[in-house]
Amino acid sequence: MLVLRTLLFLAPFLSFPPLHKVWIVTCHWDFESFSIQRIWDVETFHGALSLAVHSNELPGFQTFLKSINPSWAKRDGFIQNFWEQAFSCSLKVSSAQEDMEMCTGTEKLDSIPVTLFETSMTGHSYNVYNAVYSVAHALYASYIFRSRHRRMDVEKHLKFLNVQPWQLHHFLRSITFNNNAGDTVCFDENRELKADFDVTNWVTFPNGSFVRVKVGRLDPWAPPGKELSLNTDQIVWHRTFNQVVPLSVCSESCHPGYTRKKKEGEKFCCYDCAQCPEGTISQQKGKIPNV
């Protein structure tokens, strides 16, 4: 995303034509920016659709975000670096940062552009949250198991064997619990997390902000034919499409009695319409003829 935003920013200077496209974003991508990109236009991504690991708002998460303070930097160096880059200020007086203002410590995270920092619970953050609790449940299960096989040392003090990471695999694959958001966390027979995906629609605004709107869901464990559900009425398309669903083909659908004929040298979505061969018929628009 960082590289793509840079290329789109340079496109006008390189005489590239406008990219009026609907971006389809995989779940491995997320909206990220460098500090210098905070004022760059994000209108290109208006109407984009993305697959994101299902997430839910956790009770107390927003309260936690509001409580974060740069004084935590004494225990966490990441917060110091993040705070200085996000607010363009310095927490320390040094010769290399004399031209920067000092951080007051009262800066608010919700004042940062969403392109730099999202305050909502994203799929990545939700995965980390569930992973931590999964390991905690596995450790507890391991503790209960080992407490039944404990041994006493000479001074009659309880002594437990050290737990190696690989020893938690057995407990991880068998745990099932509900997290604080009410979602069930469990693993399938292949020891993979049973998770579905949210289909989100990116809606941008003139001030450079954007929101993700959930418009559907992809559930691999749903009955056949029911895996993907979309609320098309909620989808906002790019402004160049005038709120009309964009076409995925460059040719009109063939009428009944006609069939598709591939155009040589053209993309597969481009075709001519020819009459059905003798002995065949097509009764529906855009269908291949049947005998």
Side-chain angles (χ1 to χ4, degrees):
M1 178 61 77
L2 298 172
V3 176
L4 176 60
R5 291 202 68 199
T6 302
L7 292 175
L8 293 176
F9 176 78
L10 296 175
F13 303 100
L14 301 177
S15 299
F16 287 173
L19 293 178
H20 297 153
K21 296 182 179 295
V22 175
W23 295 92
I24 307 296
V25 186
T26 69
C27 64
H28 298 291
W29 282 48
D30 208 345
F31 204 103
E32 296 178 338
S33 303
F34 290 119
S35 297
I36 61 173
Q37 296 175 322
R38 68 172 66 215
I39 61 174
W40 289 9
D41 185 23
V42 296
E43 195 271 342
T44 302
F45 298 101
H46 182 71
L49 295 172
S50 67
L51 288 174
V53 176
H54 171 68
S55 62
N56 218 335
E57 279 298 321
L58 297 166
F61 181 65
Q62 295 299 324
T63 302
F64 166 76
L65 287 179
K66 293 178 181 178
S67 68
I68 295 178
N69 190 282
S71 62
W72 292 11
K74 298 178 181 178
R75 296 170 291 174
D76 189 343
F78 168 78
I79 294 180
Q80 176 180 337
N81 293 334
F82 165 76
W83 204 271
E84 292 181 340
Q85 292 185 32
F87 296 103
S88 298
C89 60
S90 176
L91 291 171
K92 293 182 179 179
V93 178
S94 64
S95 57
Q97 297 177 328
E98 289 179 353
D99 58 334
M100 296 181 63
E101 296 183 1
M102 290 293 297
C103 300
T104 63
T106 60
E107 293 85 3
K108 302 298 182 183
L109 291 176
D110 54 10
S111 68
I112 305 175
V114 69
T115 54
L116 293 180
F117 183 77
E118 292 189 61
T119 57
S120 60
M121 176 64 68
T122 64
H124 292 300
S125 300
Y126 199 63
N127 266 350
V128 173
Y129 175 87
N130 286 330
V132 171
Y133 271 87
S134 296
V135 173
H137 278 274
L139 283 171
Y140 180 73
S142 174
Y143 170 81
I144 296 298
F145 175 80
R146 291 178 180 277
S147 66
R148 298 170 183 172
H149 301 81
R150 61 191 179 190
R151 60 188 179 87
M152 305 292 289
D153 63 8
V154 178
E155 297 180 358
K156 303 299 182 182
H157 291 159
L158 289 178
K159 191 173 185 179
F160 297 91
L161 298 176
N162 290 328
V163 180
Q164 300 299 319
W166 62 267
Q167 293 175 302
L168 291 179
H169 292 174
H170 170 76
F171 301 98
L172 273 173
R173 65 183 180 183
S174 60
I175 64 171
T176 299
F177 66 93
N178 292 332
N179 62 20
N180 288 340
D183 288 334
T184 301
V185 179
C186 60
F187 297 84
D188 61 17
E189 63 276 6
N190 297 321
R191 304 182 187 180
E192 296 179 352
L193 181 67
K194 294 186 68 173
D196 48 13
F197 299 87
D198 293 327
V199 181
T200 61
N201 186 206
W202 295 10
V203 182
T204 66
F205 300 96
N207 64 356
S209 63
F210 76 96
V211 295
R212 303 172 194 256
V213 181
K214 293 183 181 180
V215 295
R217 198 160 186 172
L218 178 63
D219 184 1
W221 289 271
K226 302 292 185 180
E227 295 90 349
L228 178 63
S229 60
L230 284 176
N231 189 345
T232 55
D233 293 336
Q234 285 189 330
I235 298 178
V236 176
W237 301 106
H238 195 279
R239 297 178 180 88
T240 56
F241 294 110
N242 298 319
Q243 301 302 303
V244 178
V245 177
L247 296 176
S248 60
V249 295
C250 64
S251 301
E252 293 288 339
S253 297
C254 296
H255 293 282
Y258 290 82
T259 182
R260 298 176 184 176
K261 182 179 180 181
K262 186 180 184 302
K263 286 185 177 181
E264 295 298 331
E266 297 285 347
K267 297 180 179 179
F268 71 92
C269 61
C270 301
Y271 48 81
D272 290 321
C273 294
Q275 285 190 331
C276 297
E278 184 177 353
T280 64
I281 186 173
S282 63
Q283 297 178 333
Q284 298 182 33
K285 186 178 181 180
K287 294 295 183 179
I288 302 299
N290 295 322
V291 176

